[in-house]
Amino acid sequence: MSALHRTASIAGNELRRLLRERLARTLGLLGASLMLLALGLGLVREGQTADRQSDYAARADRDWNTQPDRHPHRVVHAGDFVFKTPGPLARLDWGIESQVGRSVFLEGHRQNTANFSDAALSGGLLRLGDLSPSLVVQQWLPLLVLLAGAASLAGERQSGVLATSLIGGARGAELLFGKAAALWAFGLLMAVPAFLALLWTAATQPALAARAAGLGASFAAVLGLAAIGTVFVSSLARSVLGALLAGVVAWFALVAVAPRAVASWAELSVPAPTQAEVEQRIAMALAKIGDAHDPNSAHFAAFRQRVLDEYGVSRVEDLPVNFGGLVMLEGERLTTAAIAAEVDRQRDAWQAQVDRASAFGWIVPTLAIRSLSQAFAGTDLAHHRDFLDQAERRRFATVQALNQLHATRIAALNDRDQKLDASQWDDIPRADIALPSLRSTAPSLAATVVPVGAWLLLGLVALGWLGRGLERRA
């Protein structure tokens, strides 16, 4: 019999033993129940969020489409709303979705922040954390795997079964790999509801199949690490109690202490401007540009001369277009660039904090797993920033299209008293928000996939090394 067959036989026997034990069955039912509860809560929450945002989006569309005849610049200030609807994978890993807003009010001369997050609307309960399938997989199932498997080797060492098995011809490495495989299978069984949800998503929405597969792989990876870690601790411990204590301490450190400590350190090491500071800097930058509502402003004197030279006239009154509308076009371009510079500085600082914390995935595997899961689910900071960028592109395109109407369809004489037919608003671009392709997120994915793969490889190598010396310690 080959080493692979012997390892598979050990894994099968160990899994059957686990499923016969009352404690393991109880832990398995608890884990599966937690997963079903998390999935149920995710479905309810997703439905409520989708219904609420669908209602808001319908209202925004109705308000836009029922606008009366009016001046195009009135439409600029009336504004519009854009919404980010969470994808079906968000029900498995909400990431930062609970804490950030999903709607942005779009208007001229401003780049507004996202509003109406679940945490803000919930009265503070969600700020304490929410039960999601990813939370169950990344935090609670590893603990259940530990409780079920802590005695796998330590208990056999105490009872003398381990020495008998080794004398009977089993090799140490095969024994360790087999028991780790059994515990991994035990963890996967508890996570079956989540994997079924991923399969359903991939089958009903093929465009998300790659993301669903990646998210499923991240779940399998964390359960694999939990199984390897449990066997590692159990093989070194002299008693079941020692294995349990060491395992629980390691679990608490990796799940509760290290992620929060690293996040706090990242925030302190890369200070991000507050919203008040950003608004202050934006106000100072806009003051240098001038008010585009005043075509005679000295700030636009050079622009006025360029326009006159372009059209070959000497007076604004002789222009074939409305100079006030041209000033609006130029002013929006300048203010958008000035605002973007300050907003991007804040968002770059946020991303630097995330990147610095993610770099600790080489030391704290739970950080790498969490980043990987959120990236595949589309609920990390990078995806939220993509939503904000798409919203800003839509805002700028909409405002500039209206300013173009101002310049070409509104006469300069009695500018403010004129109106355009409401049918003009139908042709204004209002692009939909789309989930970015997985290929566009490849750099951030690679930065998390590699540490996770390295931890799995390191764990397997460690088990092989421990297996060679297991006979001496038995």
Side-chain angles (χ1 to χ4, degrees), residues 142-161:
L143 178 61
L144 298 180
V145 168
L146 169 67
L147 295 177
S152 60
L153 285 161
E156 291 182 0
R157 177 182 286 111
Q158 281 184 301
S159 63
V161 173

Side-chain angles (χ1 to χ4, degrees), residues 141 145 181-193 195 216 219-221 223-224:
L141 294 193
V145 168
L183 288 174
W184 184 44
F186 179 71
L188 293 176
L189 286 174
M190 292 189 287
V192 161
F195 291 116
F219 287 174
L223 294 173

Side-chain angles (χ1 to χ4, degrees), residues 85-107:
T85 302
L89 293 177
R91 73 171 77 109
L92 296 167
D93 190 337
W94 282 96
I96 66 170
E97 291 292 299
S98 300
Q99 309 302 321
V100 297
R102 297 200 198 98
S103 67
V104 180
F105 179 58
L106 311 177
E107 60 178 326

Side-chain angles (χ1 to χ4, degrees), residues 68-244:
D69 298 349
R70 55 174 42 168
H71 193 288
H73 200 67
R74 290 286 303 276
V75 181
V76 168
H77 284 287
D80 192 13
F81 278 95
V82 65
F83 300 90
K84 177 190 179 185
T85 302
L89 293 177
R91 73 171 77 109
L92 296 167
D93 190 337
W94 282 96
I96 66 170
E97 291 292 299
S98 300
Q99 309 302 321
V100 297
R102 297 200 198 98
S103 67
V104 180
F105 179 58
L106 311 177
E107 60 178 326
H109 326 311
R110 290 185 60 83
Q111 186 176 153
N112 293 314
T113 58
N115 294 308
F116 306 115
S117 67
D118 288 343
L121 297 174
S122 66
L125 291 178
L126 276 179
R127 294 186 181 93
L128 301 177
D130 53 335
L131 186 67
S132 67
S134 68
L135 182 73
V136 174
V137 171
Q138 295 171 25
Q139 295 189 8
W140 299 114
L141 294 193
L143 178 61
L144 298 180
V145 168
L146 169 67
L147 295 177
S152 60
L153 285 161
E156 291 182 0
R157 177 182 286 111
Q158 281 184 301
S159 63
V161 173
L162 178 60
T164 303
S165 299
L166 293 171
I167 293 173
R171 295 181 179 177
E174 296 168 359
L175 197 62
L176 295 185
F177 286 133
K179 289 184 176 293
L183 288 174
W184 184 44
F186 179 71
L188 293 176
L189 286 174
M190 292 189 287
V192 161
F195 291 116
L196 291 177
L198 288 169
L199 285 174
W200 174 259
T201 300
T204 55
Q205 301 192 45
L208 296 177
R211 286 182 175 272
L215 188 56
S218 74
F219 287 174
V222 71
L223 294 173
L225 287 173
I228 292 171
T230 298
V231 172
F232 184 88
V233 169
S234 185
S235 68
L236 293 177
R238 288 296 177 183
S239 66
V240 175
L241 180 60
L244 281 172

